[in-house]
Amino acid sequence: MTDHFKGRQFNQSVITFAVGYYLRYNISYRDLVEMMRDRGIFVHHTTLMRWVQHYSPSMRALWRMDETYIKIKGQWNYLYRAIDDQGLTLDFQLRKKRDFNSAYHFLKRLLKTYGLPHRLVTDQYGATLKAIKKLTREGYLHKGMHQCSKYRNNLIEQDHRFIKRQQVRSASYQSTRTAARTLYGIETMHAIHKESRKKLGLFGFSAYQEVDQLLAA
Protein backbone atom coordinates (compact mmCIF):
# COMPACT_ATOMS: atom_id res chain seq x y z
CA MET A 1 0.00 0.00 0.00
CA THR A 2 1.43 3.36 -1.05
CA ASP A 3 1.35 6.35 1.29
CA HIS A 4 0.66 9.20 -1.14
CA PHE A 5 0.94 11.79 1.63
CA LYS A 6 4.29 10.71 3.09
CA GLY A 7 6.73 13.59 3.45
CA ARG A 8 4.11 16.31 3.03
CA GLN A 9 4.15 19.27 5.39
CA PHE A 10 0.38 18.94 5.94
CA ASN A 11 -1.61 15.84 6.78
CA GLN A 12 -3.96 13.92 4.52
CA SER A 13 -7.22 15.55 5.66
CA VAL A 14 -5.88 19.07 4.99
CA ILE A 15 -4.68 18.16 1.50
CA THR A 16 -7.89 16.35 0.48
CA PHE A 17 -9.92 19.27 1.82
CA ALA A 18 -7.96 21.78 -0.26
CA VAL A 19 -7.82 19.71 -3.45
CA GLY A 20 -11.46 18.68 -3.14
CA TYR A 21 -12.74 22.23 -2.71
CA TYR A 22 -10.68 23.55 -5.62
CA LEU A 23 -11.92 20.80 -7.94
CA ARG A 24 -15.53 20.99 -6.84
CA TYR A 25 -16.07 24.77 -6.74
CA ASN A 26 -15.15 27.54 -9.18
CA ILE A 27 -12.58 29.27 -6.96
CA SER A 28 -9.03 30.48 -7.54
CA TYR A 29 -5.95 29.27 -5.68
CA ARG A 30 -5.76 32.64 -3.91
CA ASP A 31 -9.41 32.30 -2.79
CA LEU A 32 -8.54 28.89 -1.42
CA VAL A 33 -5.55 30.35 0.43
CA GLU A 34 -7.98 32.68 2.26
CA MET A 35 -10.36 29.82 3.05
CA MET A 36 -7.48 27.79 4.50
CA ARG A 37 -6.22 30.79 6.47
CA ASP A 38 -9.69 31.23 8.02
CA ARG A 39 -9.28 27.68 9.33
CA GLY A 40 -5.87 28.41 10.80
CA ILE A 41 -3.95 26.74 7.98
CA PHE A 42 -1.33 28.84 6.21
CA VAL A 43 -0.28 27.55 2.80
CA HIS A 44 1.04 29.28 -0.34
CA HIS A 45 -1.05 29.26 -3.51
CA THR A 46 1.76 27.58 -5.48
CA THR A 47 1.69 24.70 -2.97
CA LEU A 48 -2.05 24.32 -3.57
CA MET A 49 -1.41 24.25 -7.31
CA ARG A 50 1.16 21.45 -6.88
CA TRP A 51 -1.29 19.47 -4.74
CA VAL A 52 -4.02 19.75 -7.38
CA GLN A 53 -1.65 18.68 -10.16
CA HIS A 54 -0.31 15.78 -8.10
CA TYR A 55 -3.52 14.38 -6.61
CA SER A 56 -6.12 15.07 -9.31
CA PRO A 57 -5.22 12.03 -11.46
CA SER A 58 -5.28 9.77 -8.38
CA MET A 59 -8.85 10.82 -7.65
CA ARG A 60 -9.98 9.60 -11.03
CA ALA A 61 -11.13 6.09 -10.22
CA LEU A 62 -14.26 6.34 -10.69
CA TRP A 63 -25.04 5.97 -21.53
CA ARG A 64 -25.14 9.13 -22.78
CA MET A 65 -22.16 10.32 -24.71
CA ASP A 66 -21.34 13.88 -25.78
CA GLU A 67 -18.51 16.38 -25.75
CA THR A 68 -18.05 19.95 -24.58
CA TYR A 69 -15.47 22.63 -25.37
CA ILE A 70 -12.51 23.61 -23.20
CA LYS A 71 -10.11 26.42 -24.20
CA ILE A 72 -6.44 25.73 -23.49
CA LYS A 73 -3.85 28.41 -24.26
CA GLY A 74 -6.27 30.07 -26.66
CA GLN A 75 -7.13 26.86 -28.54
CA TRP A 76 -10.37 24.87 -28.29
CA ASN A 77 -10.02 21.30 -27.02
CA TYR A 78 -12.81 18.77 -26.51
CA LEU A 79 -13.84 16.99 -23.35
CA TYR A 80 -15.64 13.75 -24.20
CA ARG A 81 -18.05 12.69 -21.45
CA ALA A 82 -20.47 9.84 -20.77
CA ILE A 83 -23.16 9.42 -18.10
CA ASP A 84 -25.69 6.71 -17.31
CA ASP A 85 -29.48 7.06 -17.29
CA GLN A 86 -29.36 8.24 -13.66
CA GLY A 87 -26.97 11.06 -14.56
CA LEU A 88 -23.99 9.43 -12.83
CA THR A 89 -20.59 9.89 -14.47
CA LEU A 90 -19.18 6.90 -16.36
CA ASP A 91 -16.06 8.26 -18.07
CA PHE A 92 -14.44 11.35 -19.57
CA GLN A 93 -11.43 12.11 -21.74
CA LEU A 94 -9.78 15.32 -22.97
CA ARG A 95 -8.86 15.32 -26.67
CA LYS A 96 -7.29 17.98 -28.89
CA LYS A 97 -9.67 17.29 -31.76
CA ARG A 98 -13.35 16.56 -32.22
CA ASP A 99 -13.02 13.88 -34.87
CA PHE A 100 -13.52 10.21 -35.68
CA ASN A 101 -10.40 8.98 -33.86
CA SER A 102 -11.30 10.85 -30.67
CA ALA A 103 -14.88 9.55 -30.63
CA TYR A 104 -13.80 6.01 -31.57
CA HIS A 105 -11.13 5.65 -28.87
CA PHE A 106 -13.34 7.18 -26.17
CA LEU A 107 -16.31 4.94 -26.99
CA LYS A 108 -14.12 1.84 -27.32
CA ARG A 109 -12.64 2.44 -23.85
CA LEU A 110 -16.12 3.02 -22.47
CA LEU A 111 -17.45 -0.24 -23.95
CA LYS A 112 -14.43 -2.23 -22.78
CA THR A 113 -14.90 -0.91 -19.25
CA TYR A 114 -18.68 -1.25 -18.91
CA GLY A 115 -19.67 -3.78 -21.56
CA LEU A 116 -22.71 -3.50 -23.80
CA PRO A 117 -25.22 -0.82 -22.85
CA HIS A 118 -28.97 -1.29 -23.06
CA ARG A 119 -29.01 1.85 -25.21
CA LEU A 120 -26.41 4.38 -26.32
CA VAL A 121 -27.70 7.91 -26.94
CA THR A 122 -25.62 10.50 -28.81
CA ASP A 123 -26.07 13.56 -31.00
CA GLN A 124 -25.90 13.31 -34.79
CA TYR A 125 -22.34 14.56 -35.26
CA GLY A 126 -20.83 12.77 -38.25
CA ALA A 127 -17.56 11.67 -36.63
CA THR A 128 -19.44 10.11 -33.72
CA LEU A 129 -21.80 8.23 -36.04
CA LYS A 130 -18.82 6.95 -38.07
CA ALA A 131 -17.13 5.71 -34.88
CA ILE A 132 -20.31 3.93 -33.76
CA LYS A 133 -20.63 2.18 -37.13
CA LYS A 134 -17.05 0.90 -36.88
CA LEU A 135 -17.54 -0.29 -33.28
CA THR A 136 -20.71 -2.10 -34.37
CA ARG A 137 -18.83 -3.86 -37.19
CA GLU A 138 -16.13 -4.86 -34.69
CA GLY A 139 -18.72 -6.37 -32.33
CA TYR A 140 -18.39 -3.83 -29.49
CA LEU A 141 -21.98 -2.68 -30.12
CA HIS A 142 -25.06 -4.46 -31.44
CA LYS A 143 -27.31 -3.02 -34.13
CA GLY A 144 -30.30 -1.21 -32.67
CA MET A 145 -28.48 -0.18 -29.48
CA HIS A 146 -27.57 3.28 -30.73
CA GLN A 147 -30.07 6.11 -30.80
CA CYS A 148 -29.78 9.74 -31.92
CA SER A 149 -32.08 11.93 -29.87
CA LYS A 150 -31.66 15.58 -28.95
CA TYR A 151 -34.43 15.23 -26.35
CA ARG A 152 -32.99 12.12 -24.72
CA ASN A 153 -29.51 13.65 -24.73
CA ASN A 154 -30.66 16.70 -22.75
CA LEU A 155 -29.50 15.04 -19.52
CA ILE A 156 -25.83 15.16 -20.46
CA GLU A 157 -26.19 18.63 -21.98
CA GLN A 158 -27.39 19.82 -18.57
CA ASP A 159 -24.54 17.96 -16.89
CA HIS A 160 -22.06 19.88 -19.08
CA ARG A 161 -23.09 23.10 -17.32
CA PHE A 162 -20.96 22.38 -14.28
CA ILE A 163 -17.89 21.79 -16.46
CA LYS A 164 -18.61 24.89 -18.56
CA ARG A 165 -18.57 26.99 -15.40
CA GLN A 166 -14.86 26.18 -15.28
CA GLN A 167 -14.23 28.06 -18.55
CA VAL A 168 -12.84 31.14 -16.77
CA ARG A 169 -10.37 28.88 -14.99
CA SER A 170 -9.54 26.92 -18.14
CA ALA A 171 -8.25 30.08 -19.84
CA SER A 172 -5.21 29.86 -17.54
CA TYR A 173 -4.26 26.31 -18.60
CA GLN A 174 -0.89 26.42 -20.33
CA SER A 175 -0.86 22.87 -21.69
CA THR A 176 -3.17 19.96 -22.47
CA ARG A 177 -1.39 17.91 -19.80
CA THR A 178 -2.08 20.51 -17.09
CA ALA A 179 -5.69 20.86 -18.19
CA ALA A 180 -6.25 17.09 -18.33
CA ARG A 181 -4.87 16.48 -14.84
CA THR A 182 -7.03 19.23 -13.32
CA LEU A 183 -10.15 18.28 -15.30
CA TYR A 184 -9.84 14.65 -14.19
CA GLY A 185 -10.04 15.88 -10.61
CA ILE A 186 -12.93 18.25 -11.34
CA GLU A 187 -14.90 15.48 -13.06
CA THR A 188 -14.24 13.05 -10.22
CA MET A 189 -15.38 15.46 -7.51
CA HIS A 190 -18.47 16.20 -9.64
CA ALA A 191 -19.12 12.46 -9.86
CA ILE A 192 -18.71 11.98 -6.09
CA HIS A 193 -21.09 14.87 -5.51
CA LYS A 194 -23.73 13.27 -7.74
CA GLU A 195 -23.27 9.88 -6.06
CA SER A 196 -23.65 11.40 -2.58
CA ARG A 197 -26.81 13.27 -3.59
CA LYS A 198 -28.30 10.12 -5.08
CA LYS A 199 -27.69 8.34 -1.78
CA LEU A 200 -29.39 11.25 0.03
CA GLY A 201 -26.13 12.14 1.72
CA LEU A 202 -24.75 15.62 2.04
CA PHE A 203 -21.63 16.47 0.10
CA GLY A 204 -19.04 17.24 2.69
CA PHE A 205 -15.82 15.93 4.06
CA SER A 206 -17.32 12.46 4.52
CA ALA A 207 -17.17 12.16 0.72
CA TYR A 208 -13.38 12.30 0.92
CA GLN A 209 -13.37 8.84 2.49
CA GLU A 210 -13.87 7.64 -1.07
CA VAL A 211 -10.91 9.71 -2.22
CA ASP A 212 -8.73 8.47 0.62
CA GLN A 213 -9.54 4.85 -0.27
CA LEU A 214 -8.60 5.48 -3.91
CA LEU A 215 -5.32 7.09 -2.95
CA ALA A 216 -4.46 4.28 -0.56
CA ALA A 217 -5.13 1.52 -3.11
Side-chain angles (χ1 to χ4, degrees):
M1 185 176 293
T2 304
D3 184 357
H4 292 265
F5 299 89
K6 187 176 181 180
R8 296 287 180 180
Q9 180 182 355
F10 297 91
N11 63 34
Q12 180 173 335
S13 61
V14 170
I15 294 173
T16 53
F17 167 84
V19 175
Y21 260 67
Y22 179 81
L23 296 174
R24 174 59 192 153
Y25 301 105
N26 190 21
I27 58 175
S28 69
Y29 287 117
R30 295 185 186 278
D31 290 335
L32 188 53
V33 166
E34 290 186 20
M35 290 175 61
M36 303 290 281
R37 187 184 300 131
D38 289 342
R39 289 161 175 78
I41 301 168
F42 297 87
V43 57
H44 198 269
H45 69 274
T46 56
T47 300
L48 295 174
M49 181 182 68
R50 287 195 295 271
W51 287 353
V52 169
Q53 291 299 301
H54 181 78
Y55 290 106
S56 288
S58 301
M59 290 182 174
R60 185 192 180 214
L62 288 168
W63 265 75
R64 297 162 193 260
M65 179 268 196
D66 198 14
E67 68 283 328
T68 190
Y69 304 86
I70 300 291
K71 185 170 282 189
I72 301 170
K73 211 170 182 179
Q75 300 294 320
W76 288 113
N77 286 244
Y78 303 91
L79 184 65
Y80 283 79
R81 309 179 68 241
I83 61 175
D84 65 14
D85 58 355
Q86 301 298 311
L88 300 180
T89 304
L90 293 173
D91 203 358
F92 44 87
Q93 188 176 49
L94 184 65
R95 308 284 299 196
K96 288 186 176 181
K97 296 181 179 180
R98 186 192 185 203
D99 58 11
F100 163 75
N101 284 327
S102 297
Y104 174 78
H105 288 295
F106 177 69
L107 282 168
K108 186 175 181 179
R109 186 175 77 176
L110 192 66
L111 290 163
K112 281 186 172 183
T113 301
Y114 292 97
L116 289 170
H118 174 66
R119 181 174 61 248
L120 172 63
V121 181
T122 73
D123 59 18
Q124 299 186 48
Y125 187 63
T128 303
L129 299 182
K130 183 180 176 182
I132 288 170
K133 286 181 180 179
K134 182 174 182 180
L135 289 164
T136 301
R137 290 197 302 269
E138 294 174 343
Y140 288 100
L141 276 170
H142 293 166
K143 287 185 177 180
M145 283 184 171
H146 176 238
Q147 184 177 95
C148 287
S149 172
K150 183 176 181 180
Y151 170 75
R152 290 183 179 274
N153 223 34
N154 279 346
L155 185 63
I156 193 165
E157 290 289 349
Q158 293 169 7
D159 198 64
H160 286 335
R161 292 176 184 175
F162 173 78
I163 304 302
K164 288 179 179 178
R165 287 208 304 267
Q166 310 299 325
Q167 289 287 8
V168 174
R169 179 188 295 171
S170 72
S172 66
Y173 294 146
Q174 295 303 303
S175 70
T176 302
R177 179 178 178 274
T178 299
R181 291 175 73 89
T182 306
L183 285 166
Y184 285 159
I186 290 169
E187 284 278 13
T188 299
M189 297 311 300
H190 185 40
I192 291 174
H193 175 67
K194 289 188 288 184
E195 290 270 8
S196 65
R197 287 185 64 185
K198 182 176 175 58
K199 294 173 184 175
L200 301 180
L202 295 175
F203 181 79
F205 298 126
S206 59
Y208 292 107
Q209 267 190 320
E210 243 182 283
V211 173
D212 293 346
Q213 290 169 1
L214 296 175
L215 293 172

